[in-house]
Amino acid sequence: MMRHVRLFATALTLVSAAALGGVVTAGPAAAATYTCGNQGKYYTGTAVTGQGNTGNRVIEAQCLLKSSGYLTAGQVDGVFGTNTYNAVRSFQTMYRKYCNSGVAVDGVVGRDTWAALRGPCPA
């Protein structure tokens, strides 16, 4: 019952704002974008980072993926969503193939993937 009251109140507010000439927008605000700089600008650790995570760890992973050509500047938004997941899997697949590495292809940035993103193929 309380949920219906809240939904009605929200709908009434939107209709009232529109009727009074107010601006009504729908949907979430646009995500922020970040400028990638030097490696380690946002995060230097190796914590497991995956879908649903947000913040500096994600921004750093996205910047590293961007510098490797797996994301565009507009996709560096600090949200580990589908684009980042797919970029991580693509990176892991290529790294595994060309560096003869056992890095897991799982779409998660863990210890091994952080090392792969930050350095060249192991000798």
Side-chain angles (χ1 to χ4, degrees), residues 11-88:
L12 182 61
T13 301
L14 292 174
V15 170
S16 298
L20 296 172
V23 176
V24 178
T25 59
T33 56
Y34 297 88
T35 303
C36 297
N38 297 333
Q39 183 174 308
K41 177 178 179 179
Y42 294 102
Y43 179 72
T44 58
T46 60
V48 174
T49 305
Q51 283 194 303
N53 289 148
T54 59
N56 287 348
R57 286 189 339 230
V58 176
I59 298 165
E60 184 68 21
Q62 290 173 331
C63 284
L64 293 166
L65 288 161
K66 178 188 167 285
S67 72
S68 297
Y70 292 92
L71 287 176
T72 64
Q75 293 174 314
V76 179
D77 60 5
V79 178
F80 199 122
T82 303
N83 288 333
T84 304
Y85 172 81
N86 290 334
V88 170

